[in-house]
Amino acid sequence: MDRLQWMPMDNSAMTIYFIKQIGSLQIKDKPEENGTAANATDSSSAAVKSEVAVEEKGTDEYDNDKDDKAAQSLLNKLIRNNLVNNTNQVEVLQRDPNSPLYSVKSFEELRLKPQLLQGVYGLGFNRPSKIQETALPMMLAEPPQNLIAQSQSGTGKTAAFVLAMLSHVDPNKRYPQCLCVSPTYELALQTGKVIELMGKHYPEVRLVYAIRGNKLQRGMKLEEQIVIGTPGTMLDWCGKFKFIDPKKIMVFVLDEADVMIATQGHQDQSIRIQRMLPKNCQMLLFSATFEETVWNFAQRIVPEPNIIKLKREEETLDTIKQYYVLCNSREEKFQALCNIYGAITIAQAMIFCHTRKTAGWLAGELSREGHQVALLSGEMQVEQRAAVIDRFRDGKEKVLVTTNVCARGIDVEQVSVVINFDLPVDKDGNPDNETYLHRIGRTGRFGKRGLAINMVDSKMSMNILNRIQEHFSKKIERLDTDDLDEIEKIAG
Ligand SMILES: Nc1ncnc2c1ncn2[C@@H]1O[C@H](COP(=O)(O)OP(=O)(O)OP(=O)(O)O)[C@@H](O)[C@H]1O
């Protein structure tokens, strides 16, 4: 697939250029922001400065950073360049319990079209991932089987359903045969990129994006076999504008169901699209989590599904030593931090704050002390955040100060210390145990030993710490940061 259809654009602020070569899809969305993103990669101190400037404005923009699932998912994709290490076992629930459970250990066994096998190997995939081993045979089976697949972020779900779509289309038929719905514009583009790359040697198959800004002429009929887009535009293209004949769709993919559900209105639109599709259309639903809301949504969309879940790995904090430090103010917390830095060698540390304001202040103080500091918070563009994380991962900065935007999914192997400058609480002020686990899980990865230090500055935060201890049934020891010998000992 070495070309994309050129699509007429409207005059909105956004301009999209589709350039002939694969991988050179360029998006221009507010040029001044591109400039800011470039600056962010230049130096982290630029980010620190802007944060301090925000603080001076004295407004109440210092909210706790919201857990934006779509942004987090996009961030994960932007910073990840290989498969997430996964040791979990797969659990399969089949629609027809008599059919043999079929699983493949190689891509050859799937008897893919040579062009697609070339695409797979071209991407550097040597063998299927855990979820792909089981999902691919089901998705490629005849007659088509419906599937709900859950597996954590970065385990190869996108690659799996992209391969299924590319395998199912008939390139000789010039109309849409596969629809793939993603929760946001940016996530749709990311998935589109995987389709382009995987279909690189299959130029007869074409792809079009049903996303905002891509205005087609009324009355036109799409000739591309695969349509990827967001639910609203996809619904319009199927219903209102009739660019797509939904009755001819053979495969319907709902990507990132958990993110989709978190986005208002998307459930409804997806269900409305699904209702237009023929009964025998294959439904594929993918999600990184499998909470009740996702499950309810899945049941409304996917009739008689096969289900693949990853069995949950035991969450363990055994390799992480946890301490708390008693302080009276944020200045004392900062002093305690300096003492820790003075006593032990820290390869890389992540420091979590409750608000953007504190994070900005702390980053400024630390850089004044001579530390190489990176700052990450929710008001930054996702691309800026990815650039900051990349620099941190490359060791260009040794300390990353952040709010909750960085709690999940980011693997930086050299992080040996995590500091909760503020303990994680939910919006009602109760301990946020899940976030605590995610935060301190940034250290001690892959069985390495890690250190987590919690700053306690009030009765209330002591109470929160106690409740966290109770929740995990794990003692958190007190650390006296005025005693350098004691600090040295914990690093041993
Ligand atoms: N079989 C494979 N072998 C090696 N790398 C793979 C394989 N399958 C996928 N990858 C790579 O692993 C990374 C994650 O894959 P993918 O995006 O498909 O995961 P995902 O589960 O869809 O993640 P998310 O939940 O974030 O959408 C990508 O960089 C992809 O190119």
Side-chain angles (χ1 to χ4, degrees), residues 176-196:
Q177 298 156 44
C178 301
L179 302 186
C180 176
V181 178
S182 279
T184 67
Y185 171 94
E186 292 81 5
L187 289 168
L189 289 180
Q190 287 297 316
T191 303
K193 262 191 213 156
V194 180
I195 303 176
E196 291 165 30

PDB file of all heavy atoms in Angstrom, residues 176-196:
ATOM      1  N   PRO A 176     -15.549   0.045   0.385  1.00  0.00           N
ATOM      2  CA  PRO A 176     -15.129  -0.271   1.747  1.00  0.00           C
ATOM      3  C   PRO A 176     -15.648  -1.624   2.223  1.00  0.00           C
ATOM      4  O   PRO A 176     -16.818  -1.948   2.070  1.00  0.00           O
ATOM      5  CB  PRO A 176     -15.732   0.865   2.587  1.00  0.00           C
ATOM      6  CG  PRO A 176     -15.894   1.982   1.627  1.00  0.00           C
ATOM      7  CD  PRO A 176     -16.255   1.337   0.316  1.00  0.00           C
ATOM      8  N   GLN A 177     -14.705  -2.403   2.790  1.00  0.00           N
ATOM      9  CA  GLN A 177     -15.061  -3.722   3.305  1.00  0.00           C
ATOM     10  C   GLN A 177     -14.751  -3.859   4.797  1.00  0.00           C
ATOM     11  O   GLN A 177     -15.285  -4.725   5.469  1.00  0.00           O
ATOM     12  CB  GLN A 177     -14.292  -4.795   2.522  1.00  0.00           C
ATOM     13  CG  GLN A 177     -14.643  -4.787   1.035  1.00  0.00           C
ATOM     14  CD  GLN A 177     -13.533  -5.376   0.176  1.00  0.00           C
ATOM     15  OE1 GLN A 177     -12.965  -6.406   0.500  1.00  0.00           O
ATOM     16  NE2 GLN A 177     -13.221  -4.700  -0.926  1.00  0.00           N
ATOM     17  N   CYS A 178     -13.840  -3.030   5.288  1.00  0.00           N
ATOM     18  CA  CYS A 178     -13.488  -3.080   6.712  1.00  0.00           C
ATOM     19  C   CYS A 178     -13.595  -1.675   7.311  1.00  0.00           C
ATOM     20  O   CYS A 178     -13.077  -0.719   6.742  1.00  0.00           O
ATOM     21  CB  CYS A 178     -12.029  -3.512   6.914  1.00  0.00           C
ATOM     22  SG  CYS A 178     -11.645  -5.104   6.248  1.00  0.00           S
ATOM     23  N   LEU A 179     -14.258  -1.597   8.448  1.00  0.00           N
ATOM     24  CA  LEU A 179     -14.308  -0.328   9.182  1.00  0.00           C
ATOM     25  C   LEU A 179     -13.572  -0.515  10.496  1.00  0.00           C
ATOM     26  O   LEU A 179     -13.765  -1.523  11.186  1.00  0.00           O
ATOM     27  CB  LEU A 179     -15.748   0.081   9.508  1.00  0.00           C
ATOM     28  CG  LEU A 179     -16.748   0.268   8.380  1.00  0.00           C
ATOM     29  CD1 LEU A 179     -18.068   0.817   8.959  1.00  0.00           C
ATOM     30  CD2 LEU A 179     -16.214   1.196   7.298  1.00  0.00           C
ATOM     31  N   CYS A 180     -12.771   0.474  10.837  1.00  0.00           N
ATOM     32  CA  CYS A 180     -12.097   0.414  12.127  1.00  0.00           C
ATOM     33  C   CYS A 180     -12.348   1.732  12.854  1.00  0.00           C
ATOM     34  O   CYS A 180     -12.052   2.810  12.316  1.00  0.00           O
ATOM     35  CB  CYS A 180     -10.610   0.192  11.907  1.00  0.00           C
ATOM     36  SG  CYS A 180      -9.665   0.226  13.425  1.00  0.00           S
ATOM     37  N   VAL A 181     -12.930   1.638  14.029  1.00  0.00           N
ATOM     38  CA  VAL A 181     -13.283   2.849  14.770  1.00  0.00           C
ATOM     39  C   VAL A 181     -12.340   3.023  15.960  1.00  0.00           C
ATOM     40  O   VAL A 181     -12.160   2.114  16.761  1.00  0.00           O
ATOM     41  CB  VAL A 181     -14.751   2.765  15.269  1.00  0.00           C
ATOM     42  CG1 VAL A 181     -15.104   3.993  16.085  1.00  0.00           C
ATOM     43  CG2 VAL A 181     -15.691   2.642  14.092  1.00  0.00           C
ATOM     44  N   SER A 182     -11.739   4.202  16.044  1.00  0.00           N
ATOM     45  CA  SER A 182     -10.823   4.540  17.143  1.00  0.00           C
ATOM     46  C   SER A 182     -11.423   5.697  17.938  1.00  0.00           C
ATOM     47  O   SER A 182     -12.149   6.510  17.378  1.00  0.00           O
ATOM     48  CB  SER A 182      -9.490   5.012  16.581  1.00  0.00           C
ATOM     49  OG  SER A 182      -8.701   3.948  16.222  1.00  0.00           O
ATOM     50  N   PRO A 183     -11.081   5.813  19.218  1.00  0.00           N
ATOM     51  CA  PRO A 183     -11.735   6.851  20.023  1.00  0.00           C
ATOM     52  C   PRO A 183     -11.357   8.289  19.683  1.00  0.00           C
ATOM     53  O   PRO A 183     -12.162   9.177  19.879  1.00  0.00           O
ATOM     54  CB  PRO A 183     -11.317   6.516  21.451  1.00  0.00           C
ATOM     55  CG  PRO A 183     -10.233   5.516  21.359  1.00  0.00           C
ATOM     56  CD  PRO A 183     -10.272   4.894  20.021  1.00  0.00           C
ATOM     57  N   THR A 184     -10.150   8.525  19.222  1.00  0.00           N
ATOM     58  CA  THR A 184      -9.800   9.917  18.905  1.00  0.00           C
ATOM     59  C   THR A 184      -9.109   9.990  17.543  1.00  0.00           C
ATOM     60  O   THR A 184      -8.601   8.989  17.027  1.00  0.00           O
ATOM     61  CB  THR A 184      -8.831  10.538  19.946  1.00  0.00           C
ATOM     62  OG1 THR A 184      -7.569   9.868  19.867  1.00  0.00           O
ATOM     63  CG2 THR A 184      -9.359  10.458  21.362  1.00  0.00           C
ATOM     64  N   TYR A 185      -9.087  11.210  17.057  1.00  0.00           N
ATOM     65  CA  TYR A 185      -8.441  11.551  15.791  1.00  0.00           C
ATOM     66  C   TYR A 185      -6.992  11.045  15.760  1.00  0.00           C
ATOM     67  O   TYR A 185      -6.561  10.364  14.836  1.00  0.00           O
ATOM     68  CB  TYR A 185      -8.502  13.074  15.715  1.00  0.00           C
ATOM     69  CG  TYR A 185      -7.736  13.758  14.642  1.00  0.00           C
ATOM     70  CD1 TYR A 185      -8.351  14.075  13.443  1.00  0.00           C
ATOM     71  CD2 TYR A 185      -6.422  14.150  14.847  1.00  0.00           C
ATOM     72  CE1 TYR A 185      -7.654  14.750  12.458  1.00  0.00           C
ATOM     73  CE2 TYR A 185      -5.720  14.821  13.875  1.00  0.00           C
ATOM     74  CZ  TYR A 185      -6.340  15.117  12.677  1.00  0.00           C
ATOM     75  OH  TYR A 185      -5.649  15.773  11.711  1.00  0.00           O
ATOM     76  N   GLU A 186      -6.247  11.350  16.828  1.00  0.00           N
ATOM     77  CA  GLU A 186      -4.828  10.994  16.865  1.00  0.00           C
ATOM     78  C   GLU A 186      -4.642   9.476  16.919  1.00  0.00           C
ATOM     79  O   GLU A 186      -3.741   8.935  16.284  1.00  0.00           O
ATOM     80  CB  GLU A 186      -4.128  11.620  18.091  1.00  0.00           C
ATOM     81  CG  GLU A 186      -4.000  13.125  18.058  1.00  0.00           C
ATOM     82  CD  GLU A 186      -5.269  13.834  18.494  1.00  0.00           C
ATOM     83  OE1 GLU A 186      -6.232  13.150  18.919  1.00  0.00           O
ATOM     84  OE2 GLU A 186      -5.318  15.070  18.397  1.00  0.00           O
ATOM     85  N   LEU A 187      -5.498   8.802  17.685  1.00  0.00           N
ATOM     86  CA  LEU A 187      -5.366   7.347  17.785  1.00  0.00           C
ATOM     87  C   LEU A 187      -5.730   6.691  16.449  1.00  0.00           C
ATOM     88  O   LEU A 187      -5.130   5.692  16.058  1.00  0.00           O
ATOM     89  CB  LEU A 187      -6.231   6.804  18.931  1.00  0.00           C
ATOM     90  CG  LEU A 187      -5.705   7.164  20.325  1.00  0.00           C
ATOM     91  CD1 LEU A 187      -6.741   6.852  21.404  1.00  0.00           C
ATOM     92  CD2 LEU A 187      -4.405   6.438  20.638  1.00  0.00           C
ATOM     93  N   ALA A 188      -6.680   7.279  15.741  1.00  0.00           N
ATOM     94  CA  ALA A 188      -7.036   6.751  14.416  1.00  0.00           C
ATOM     95  C   ALA A 188      -5.830   6.879  13.480  1.00  0.00           C
ATOM     96  O   ALA A 188      -5.519   5.950  12.719  1.00  0.00           O
ATOM     97  CB  ALA A 188      -8.236   7.508  13.850  1.00  0.00           C
ATOM     98  N   LEU A 189      -5.134   8.002  13.551  1.00  0.00           N
ATOM     99  CA  LEU A 189      -3.957   8.175  12.700  1.00  0.00           C
ATOM    100  C   LEU A 189      -2.865   7.160  13.040  1.00  0.00           C
ATOM    101  O   LEU A 189      -2.206   6.624  12.157  1.00  0.00           O
ATOM    102  CB  LEU A 189      -3.376   9.587  12.851  1.00  0.00           C
ATOM    103  CG  LEU A 189      -4.193  10.734  12.257  1.00  0.00           C
ATOM    104  CD1 LEU A 189      -3.476  12.054  12.494  1.00  0.00           C
ATOM    105  CD2 LEU A 189      -4.411  10.548  10.760  1.00  0.00           C
ATOM    106  N   GLN A 190      -2.706   6.888  14.333  1.00  0.00           N
ATOM    107  CA  GLN A 190      -1.690   5.922  14.750  1.00  0.00           C
ATOM    108  C   GLN A 190      -2.005   4.532  14.189  1.00  0.00           C
ATOM    109  O   GLN A 190      -1.134   3.851  13.680  1.00  0.00           O
ATOM    110  CB  GLN A 190      -1.641   5.833  16.292  1.00  0.00           C
ATOM    111  CG  GLN A 190      -1.020   7.036  16.956  1.00  0.00           C
ATOM    112  CD  GLN A 190       0.440   7.212  16.581  1.00  0.00           C
ATOM    113  OE1 GLN A 190       1.187   6.243  16.570  1.00  0.00           O
ATOM    114  NE2 GLN A 190       0.839   8.421  16.257  1.00  0.00           N
ATOM    115  N   THR A 191      -3.265   4.145  14.293  1.00  0.00           N
ATOM    116  CA  THR A 191      -3.648   2.824  13.777  1.00  0.00           C
ATOM    117  C   THR A 191      -3.505   2.808  12.254  1.00  0.00           C
ATOM    118  O   THR A 191      -3.045   1.822  11.672  1.00  0.00           O
ATOM    119  CB  THR A 191      -5.094   2.478  14.200  1.00  0.00           C
ATOM    120  OG1 THR A 191      -5.152   2.550  15.619  1.00  0.00           O
ATOM    121  CG2 THR A 191      -5.504   1.099  13.754  1.00  0.00           C
ATOM    122  N   GLY A 192      -3.872   3.928  11.635  1.00  0.00           N
ATOM    123  CA  GLY A 192      -3.726   4.041  10.180  1.00  0.00           C
ATOM    124  C   GLY A 192      -2.276   3.806   9.758  1.00  0.00           C
ATOM    125  O   GLY A 192      -2.008   3.136   8.763  1.00  0.00           O
ATOM    126  N   LYS A 193      -1.374   4.327  10.546  1.00  0.00           N
ATOM    127  CA  LYS A 193       0.062   4.158  10.227  1.00  0.00           C
ATOM    128  C   LYS A 193       0.450   2.685  10.224  1.00  0.00           C
ATOM    129  O   LYS A 193       1.232   2.244   9.396  1.00  0.00           O
ATOM    130  CB  LYS A 193       0.909   4.887  11.274  1.00  0.00           C
ATOM    131  CG  LYS A 193       1.344   6.244  10.823  1.00  0.00           C
ATOM    132  CD  LYS A 193       2.376   6.787  11.779  1.00  0.00           C
ATOM    133  CE  LYS A 193       2.224   8.290  11.872  1.00  0.00           C
ATOM    134  NZ  LYS A 193       2.741   8.839  13.105  1.00  0.00           N
ATOM    135  N   VAL A 194      -0.112   1.946  11.192  1.00  0.00           N
ATOM    136  CA  VAL A 194       0.205   0.503  11.255  1.00  0.00           C
ATOM    137  C   VAL A 194      -0.353  -0.188  10.008  1.00  0.00           C
ATOM    138  O   VAL A 194       0.303  -1.049   9.411  1.00  0.00           O
ATOM    139  CB  VAL A 194      -0.355  -0.141  12.551  1.00  0.00           C
ATOM    140  CG1 VAL A 194      -0.017  -1.624  12.616  1.00  0.00           C
ATOM    141  CG2 VAL A 194       0.172   0.574  13.778  1.00  0.00           C
ATOM    142  N   ILE A 195      -1.552   0.234   9.575  1.00  0.00           N
ATOM    143  CA  ILE A 195      -2.137  -0.369   8.363  1.00  0.00           C
ATOM    144  C   ILE A 195      -1.227  -0.078   7.172  1.00  0.00           C
ATOM    145  O   ILE A 195      -0.930  -0.951   6.362  1.00  0.00           O
ATOM    146  CB  ILE A 195      -3.566   0.169   8.104  1.00  0.00           C
ATOM    147  CG1 ILE A 195      -4.461  -0.085   9.324  1.00  0.00           C
ATOM    148  CG2 ILE A 195      -4.166  -0.459   6.846  1.00  0.00           C
ATOM    149  CD1 ILE A 195      -5.873   0.490   9.210  1.00  0.00           C
ATOM    150  N   GLU A 196      -0.774   1.170   7.082  1.00  0.00           N
ATOM    151  CA  GLU A 196       0.100   1.549   5.959  1.00  0.00           C
ATOM    152  C   GLU A 196       1.389   0.725   5.962  1.00  0.00           C
ATOM    153  O   GLU A 196       1.825   0.237   4.917  1.00  0.00           O
ATOM    154  CB  GLU A 196       0.453   3.035   6.052  1.00  0.00           C
ATOM    155  CG  GLU A 196      -0.723   3.946   5.778  1.00  0.00           C
ATOM    156  CD  GLU A 196      -0.430   5.377   6.226  1.00  0.00           C
ATOM    157  OE1 GLU A 196       0.746   5.775   6.194  1.00  0.00           O
ATOM    158  OE2 GLU A 196      -1.380   6.067   6.627  1.00  0.00           O
TER     159      GLU A 196
END
